[in-house]
Structures are given as C-alpha cells and as structure tokens.
Amino acid sequence: MTFQQDWGPITAISFRTDGHPIMAAGSPIGHIGLWDLEEKKLMSQMREAHSTAIAGLTFVHGEPLLITNAADNAIRVWIFDGPGGQGRLLRFRLGHSAPPTFVRYHGQDGKHILSAGQDGAIHSFSTIHDRYSKSLGHGSINKAKAKKVGLRCTYLRLPPVVCFASETARQNDWDGIIACHQRKSYCTTWNFVRSTMGAHKLKPPNLKTKGTYATAVDITSCGNFVVIGLSAGNVDVYNIQSGIHRGSYGEDTAHDGPIRGVAVDGLNQMTVTAGDDKLIKFWKFKSKQLMHTVDIEVTPTCILLCRESGMLSVALEDFSIKVLDIETYKLVRRFPGHNGKINDMTYSPDGRWLLTASMDCTVKVWDFPSGCLIDCFLLDTPVVSLTMSPTGDYLATAHVDDLSLYLWSNKSLFSMVSLRPLPSNYEPVVVMLPGAAEEEEEEIVEVEEVSEDMMEYESPEQLGERLVTLSLLPESRWKNLLNLDVIKRRNKPKEPPKLPKSAPFFIPTLPGLVPRFVTEVEDESTQSKVVNLGVLERKSVFCVQLEESLKHENYDVPLKTIKEMGPSSIEVEIRSLAPDGGGSVELMQSFLKMIGRMLETKLDFELAQAYLALFLKIHLKFISSEPTLLEEFSTLSTSLDETWLHMQKLFNQSLCVLTYMKSALL
C-alpha cells in the first residue's frame, strides 16, 4: 500500500503495537498524520504537535503512548485514550529552541531559574525536579491576536529578551517580571504565577528621539516599581501594577549617551545609573534629585548592586572591575578583571564573593574582604550569563551557542576548600562542562589533590604573650570554689545511705572525676597484713611537687596536677598547705609563687583568680602574721592589679563603643 501526505517529505514513521493498526508519520512543519492500515486512509491529524520539523516519533511497545521530539528542543508524550483515535498531550519537557542569553535565580529559595533565549521565550527551570519547570511563552505584539493564530504567528512575536529583572514580593497580586527586548523602546511585564506575558507594555511618554530602545531594567525589592534605562540616556520609573509612568531622572536626560545599567537599593531610597558618558550617578528614588556623581574614567559595560552590603560592582570596557560603596560613594576595591569583555557578574548570598564571566572563556571568583582572586577556571566556550543561588549551593551558567543551562556545585559547602589568593601568573586549567566528564576516576584524583593541599590549623596554647588566655576547663571545676561550704551543707544527706538488698548485676563505683569500679581497687590491693608506712605519710603528691618546684622554680608540674582535681580535692590541698594542716610556710610561699607565675605568663587566668581567692579565704589570718608571706603577697598584688587594670581599660572602651552604637542615631 502507498500513502502520501500534503505536508512535504516523511521525516519519521512509527507503528502502534497495542492492537490498533495505526501508523504515525511526521512532517517538516510539525504536523503528525495517523494512518489506518486496515482501511488504508488517513484517520486523524495532530496539527502543530511541534513548532519545527518532527525529528523522531516512537510508539511505546504495547501501550497507547507516542513519544515525539523535534528541533524546537521539546519532547512530548501523547496518549490515545479518547474516541476518534486522536492523541492528547500527556506530559512534556521543553527547553529553549535557541541558545539562552540571560539567566537569573527567581526567589530566595533557590529552586527556580529564569532564562531568556534568542528564541524570544522565557523559561523557568527547577533545580529540584524537571516536572516543576515551565515555559512563560513568547512575547507578542498583540497578545489576543497571537492567541487566535496559534504557534505559527512568528510575525507577531517580539524580539529576543536582552535582560530582565524579577521579584517575588507581590507576584501573587500582579506581574513580578520586567523584560527588556532587543531594539524595542518599550518593556514587557510577565507573570510567573500564571506563566504568561503580562498586560502592560511600559513605553516612555513623549519620546522625541527616533530609534530609541530600552537597554537596562531593574525592579524594586517591594515589587511595586520598575526602573528602565534607554539608549537616549533617559531613565524612567513606572508602577508595575498599573503601568503608569511615575517620573524621570534628570532635567532632560539622566546621561549623555546610552544607559549601561540601573539599580535600586533595598529600601527604595537610592537609584544608581551608569551611562556611556563614563559617569555613575546616585539619585534619590522618590524625589528624583541627583545626590552624587562619580567619574570612573572608563566606559562601563554593566553594573551589579548587592542590596545587602551596598557594594556596586562596575564592569568596564578595559576588562577591569571597580567596586563602589553606595553609602560613601568611595572606590573600595579594584580588580584587574579579564582578558576579554566581561559578559555578566553575580554575587554570593553573603556578599563576600563576586563571580565574573568573560569572553576569554574564564569564570573568576573575587573575594571582597581580601581583595584577591581565590578561584578561576577555564571553559571550552565563553559564558554569556551566570547567576548564583540565594542559598549558595549552585552556580548556573549559560554559554555561547549552547541550548543548555549548566549547574556548578559549591564545593565549600560540603568539603574543605583552600581559599588562599591565587598568584598573578596563575594559569587556569580547562574544566569540562557538567555532564560532559570523560571518566569518574579523574574527578576522584582531583578531590584527593585538593584535600592534600589543605593544612589543618592547630591553635597554639597562647596566641600572644601580652594576651590574657583562659583555660579550657569547664566552669564546674573552678567557679564554685568559694561556695563549697554552702554546697556541702545543702547537699548533706538527711539520713545515712542504705545498702541495696541484692543487685548482683550492678558493679559499685568509687566517687571521683575518673570513674573506677570497686573490684578494680580490690584486685590492686594485696592481702598482706604488713603495714605500709607510705599510707601514713601526711604530705600529698601536690605538696611534694610544690616543694620541688620551689627549688627549681618550675611550676608546670604542680599546676598540671591541680588542674586535674575536682573542687573538693582542690580545697583539701589548699587547706593542707598551712602548718596546722601538715604543711609549712615554704609550701604556702611556693603556692603563691605558682599563682604569680600564672599571672606573669597570663595563662589560665580564671584559674589563678579562683585558686587565689580560695587561698585567701582559708589562710588570710595566718598570712597577716607571717612577714615572708606578706612580702610575697605584695609582689603578687602588684602583678594582679597591673593585669586587671589593663583588662578593665579594654572592657570600658568596648562598652563605650557598644553603648554609642546602640544609642546614637546613625
């Protein structure tokens, strides 16, 4: 049998295998014909299944499902479950039919990426799952007429979108996207919720210069106003809800030449404009009054404002980058930039990094606090636009002559990455695009090299000799030394403890900081009845170490011993230093020298204060009657006062600055 269609050559053929004698044939204009093989006739037509030639179509084996794809970068699944054998669209995946040129994240959750391509359409891609992706459609000159004509109304389509700005604050109430089209004097509004072009076309009133077109747009953080810059130097403000013109900046024009970028701060207080006249101008948003002008000496190509930090990055035609502070109007950073035109810039969520893409096929990461380049990688094709997720986990890039958007993961979120400045002669290595890696083994080797390059930082015991350093002991070891008598009275048992009746599966433990079982002590003790005279010795290990330290003047050993004790043990040791407790005046003098050594080195400062306070509380009367101890204590008091007065001065300065910052009207 022979069939012939009127739509041109057959581009693809497939047969149903679920019991229906149907053959599907594709055409160069996007139509699909369904032929009945038993009756040898055309059963039905699927017109405008795709906007371009059908590249392939396949029936699923044993299922009434037809999968089609075409040059419009779309794949569609059709199901034949209705009367007449006509297929209906079940699901589809759709991308740009021409390379995307501008991408931005939409919203603060980092789940949606808006992209505009050379095909004139705006798409929303989901980073969670592809089923949440959607197309906002093409811009049309006459929306109602284009809806009647259908997909073939190419003469009613607007030119490609050059740039756009979006905001989620009021997107449920009215349009939240403003788009600037190529060589068009007006800008269009779009609605993300309804996934369609909005009702307004914002065109400047009383436009005198012919051939003027929009070059830059921005939308306020409240979602109420948009700012549009034109090639004639005009900058206009519109209300996006009503589309009404709300004023212009400057007497006649804001700049003498095309506008290269516009930006509004987060509080709608200031508007920043950059023009072809090498000037950056700062305006009051509401009154349209000029506040300040900065001459940057080189023509800018684009600007980007970080609303959180107030940093304005300006890409220049000499491929360098200047960063201005919009509060002080001062130049705060200057980056050498690239070896080609800078296509786009984006900030990290915390405002610490500036990422730039250039025609030299490199993407560079600049660190604001250090003012250095911390990362750079080379690609096969230049990046025309890039945007970083508000959550900081992904970087999305669009490339020259590439239909795809590429996602790059932020390694600093899940691994140790060295952020040391790169040298000036650093040569980046060519990096494969995501999804185009040759082997997995190469990636594993790269991760190992990065981990070897990292050096673990070990904090010293003391950062500086003049700095007061605290110990790492918990507060329970020293904070309650002066209140031990109160704690003991409060915790005194009202009746003696009772032995348990029978609990063979519980092994009793001995009290102390280090848990020990009773059976261990019984095993260690011998059964000999010979009396050990060492048990009757009255001096403890701490006292013996103090006597030895008095001869060698090295108090590290006794200090280490007392730091390992609990509060009750510390009190017992300090009480035993006096002659009444079995000690001597030399032991007390050695203890005071140990405290003086701690104050001199400024180590374990809070322990020295707590130990000295308990020592004075117990032995104050005895110290007043001993000239040797009084002399030692006077030396110690001088060192203590000197250290504490210095710290008190620093505390007072910090409190003064803090009080001023809290009360002053800045």
Side-chain angles (χ1 to χ4, degrees):
M1 63 188 71
T2 304
F3 301 100
Q4 184 177 0
Q5 65 180 8
D6 299 333
W7 304 323
I10 304 294
T11 59
I13 290 179
S14 183
F15 298 88
R16 287 184 67 172
T17 58
D18 59 339
H20 296 269
I22 303 297
M23 179 186 70
S27 66
I29 59 176
H31 302 330
I32 298 175
L34 301 176
W35 301 85
D36 191 334
L37 299 180
E38 287 185 350
E39 300 182 3
K40 300 179 182 181
K41 67 176 183 179
L42 182 64
M43 186 185 68
S44 62
Q45 302 175 6
M46 298 171 58
R47 288 184 172 270
E48 297 182 352
H50 289 270
S51 59
T52 57
I54 302 295
L57 49 86
T58 303
F59 277 103
V60 179
H61 182 70
E63 298 288 340
L65 298 176
L66 176 64
I67 302 175
T68 64
N69 73 304
D72 58 357
N73 197 22
I75 182 170
R76 291 182 169 91
V77 180
W78 309 83
I79 185 170
F80 298 87
D81 57 352
Q86 184 73 20
R88 64 177 180 89
L89 185 62
L90 181 63
R91 61 178 65 93
F92 66 94
R93 296 290 182 263
L94 184 65
H96 285 284
S97 59
T101 57
F102 197 80
V103 294
R104 286 292 182 267
Y105 267 93
H106 180 68
Q108 297 299 319
D109 54 0
K111 296 181 180 179
H112 300 281
I113 302 176
L114 289 177
S115 67
Q118 296 178 7
D119 55 354
I122 296 180
H123 288 264
S124 171
F125 296 98
S126 173
T127 59
I128 305 300
H129 197 280
D130 202 34
R131 64 182 177 183
Y132 300 119
S133 301
K134 59 183 179 179
S135 173
L136 276 66
H138 295 77
S140 59
I141 300 175
N142 191 327
K143 187 177 178 182
K145 186 176 181 181
K147 190 174 182 180
K148 292 180 180 179
V149 177
L151 294 175
R152 303 295 169 187
C153 59
T154 55
Y155 63 93
L156 291 176
R157 289 183 180 178
L158 287 172
V161 174
V162 178
C163 62
F164 62 82
S166 66
E167 185 59 51
T168 60
R170 304 300 295 270
Q171 66 176 4
N172 293 322
D173 302 324
W174 51 76
D175 300 338
I177 304 172
I178 179 70
C180 170
H181 295 266
Q182 185 178 7
R183 312 294 295 187
K184 282 292 182 181
S185 60
Y186 55 83
C187 295
T188 56
T189 60
W190 298 73
N191 194 292
F192 181 81
V193 177
R194 297 199 303 267
S195 304
T196 182
M197 192 179 79
H200 303 298
K201 290 183 175 65
L202 306 180
K203 186 175 182 179
N206 303 324
L207 189 62
K208 300 178 181 179
T209 307
K210 293 184 179 181
T212 302
Y213 55 91
T215 57
V217 293
D218 194 17
I219 186 171
T220 58
S221 58
C222 62
N224 291 310
F225 300 97
V226 294
V227 181
I228 301 175
L230 304 177
S231 60
N234 304 80
V235 178
D236 301 293
V237 182
Y238 299 85
N239 184 284
I240 194 172
Q241 179 186 7
S242 60
I244 299 175
H245 184 260
R246 293 299 186 186
S248 303
Y249 292 96
E251 296 181 359
D252 189 12
T253 59
H255 290 267
D256 296 332
I259 301 298
R260 296 300 181 95
V262 294
V264 183
D265 67 344
L267 300 176
N268 293 0
Q269 299 294 318
M270 181 188 299
T271 302
V272 185
T273 60
D276 206 36
D277 53 0
K278 306 177 184 179
L279 298 178
I280 303 292
K281 294 187 178 181
F282 301 87
W283 313 78
K284 288 186 177 181
F285 177 79
K286 188 175 182 180
S287 63
K288 314 295 186 300
Q289 181 181 356
L290 180 63
M291 300 167 58
H292 193 77
T293 302
V294 176
D295 188 359
I296 54 177
E297 301 176 355
V298 183
T299 304
T301 57
C302 61
I303 66 172
L304 183 65
L305 175 64
C306 181
R307 290 175 174 174
E308 289 76 14
S309 62
M311 295 291 109
L312 178 71
S313 298
V314 184
L316 306 176
E317 285 190 348
D318 61 356
F319 313 145
S320 64
I321 304 165
K322 290 185 178 181
V323 182
L324 304 174
D325 186 357
I326 64 172
E327 296 292 337
T328 60
Y329 316 116
K330 300 294 184 181
L331 178 67
V332 294
R333 288 291 184 271
R334 181 185 287 106
F335 298 125
H338 295 260
N339 297 323
K341 177 190 174 184
I342 298 176
N343 294 328
D344 201 3
M345 301 182 293
T346 184
Y347 287 103
S348 62
D350 55 2
R352 292 178 60 92
W353 297 347
L354 174 67
L355 291 85
T356 58
S358 171
M359 290 302 293
D360 59 3
C361 300
T362 60
V363 175
K364 294 186 177 182
V365 182
W366 309 89
D367 185 60
F368 275 121
S370 63
C372 299
L373 176 68
I374 59 174
D375 192 15
C376 176
F377 55 93
L378 182 65
L379 301 171
D380 293 331
T381 56
V383 175
V384 295
S385 184
L386 79 167
T387 177
M388 194 165 187
S389 168
T391 56
D393 48 0
Y394 293 118
L395 171 69
T397 59
H399 298 256
V400 174
D401 295 332
D402 200 325
L403 296 178
S404 305
L405 296 183
Y406 294 94
L407 289 182
W408 307 78
S409 58
N410 187 359
K411 286 185 178 180
S412 63
L413 293 182
F414 55 84
S415 64
M416 295 291 294
V417 179
S418 175
L419 297 180
R420 288 176 291 185
L422 298 179
S424 58
N425 57 351
Y426 176 77
E427 295 183 2
V429 182
V430 178
V431 180
M432 299 293 293
L433 291 175
E438 296 179 356
E439 297 180 2
E440 294 183 358
E441 295 181 357
E442 296 183 358
E443 184 179 356
I444 297 175
V445 172
E446 182 182 354
V447 174
E448 290 179 355
E449 291 179 356
V450 174
S451 62
E452 290 177 358
D453 184 59
M454 290 298 299
M455 297 175 59
E456 294 186 1
Y457 176 75
E458 296 182 0
S459 178
E461 185 180 6
Q462 190 175 18
L463 298 178
E465 296 180 356
R466 300 180 58 187
L467 298 179
V468 172
T469 306
L470 305 181
S471 68
L472 298 179
L473 294 180
E475 292 185 352
S476 58
R477 296 281 193 95
W478 57 269
K479 194 172 184 179
N480 296 320
L481 285 177
L482 293 178
N483 302 322
L484 281 179
D485 49 352
V486 179
I487 296 174
K488 287 181 179 180
R489 286 198 304 268
R490 186 180 61 192
N491 297 339
K492 185 177 181 181
K494 297 181 180 179
E495 56 183 10
K498 297 180 181 179
L499 294 175
K501 295 181 180 180
S502 61
F505 46 88
F506 289 120
I507 303 177
T509 58
L510 294 175
L513 295 177
V514 180
R516 299 183 64 189
F517 296 107
V518 176
T519 54
E520 297 178 3
V521 181
E522 293 177 355
D523 294 339
E524 295 175 1
S525 62
T526 60
Q527 299 297 328
S528 176
K529 296 183 179 180
V530 178
V531 178
N532 187 4
L533 297 178
V535 179
L536 302 178
E537 186 179 1
R538 300 184 64 183
K539 291 184 179 179
S540 63
V541 177
F542 177 68
C543 294
V544 175
Q545 293 174 350
L546 279 179
E547 289 181 347
E548 295 178 355
S549 300
L550 188 60
K551 300 175 183 178
H552 305 293
E553 296 185 357
N554 186 4
Y555 295 93
D556 295 338
V557 177
L559 179 60
K560 182 179 179 181
T561 302
I562 196 173
K563 286 171 66 175
E564 295 176 353
M565 297 180 182
S568 300
S569 302
I570 294 174
E571 186 190 25
V572 172
E573 293 292 347
I574 293 180
R575 285 187 182 276
S576 63
L577 295 177
D580 297 340
S584 61
V585 178
E586 289 76 14
L587 279 177
M588 301 179 70
Q589 185 181 5
S590 179
F591 182 83
L592 291 176
K593 286 182 177 294
M594 183 187 73
I595 300 296
R597 180 62 181 170
M598 295 171 66
L599 295 175
E600 182 181 352
T601 59
K602 294 182 174 60
L603 285 171
D604 304 323
F605 186 75
E606 82 279 18
L607 297 184
Q609 303 288 331
Y611 296 161
L612 183 59
L614 182 60
F615 182 82
L616 293 176
K617 179 181 178 181
I618 297 175
H619 305 297
L620 184 60
K621 292 183 180 180
F622 184 78
I623 293 174
S624 60
S625 61
E626 288 292 334
T628 307
L629 297 179
L630 285 175
E631 182 180 358
E632 187 68 33
F633 188 77
S634 61
T635 306
L636 185 64
S637 177
T638 304
S639 176
L640 183 64
D641 291 341
E642 181 181 352
T643 306
W644 179 247
L645 287 175
H646 178 66
M647 288 186 62
Q648 192 175 23
K649 181 180 178 181
L650 296 177
F651 287 152
N652 291 335
Q653 289 179 355
S654 302
L655 290 173
C656 180
V657 174
L658 182 61
T659 305
Y660 172 75
M661 295 295 292
K662 291 170 63 178
S663 59
L665 297 177
L666 297 179

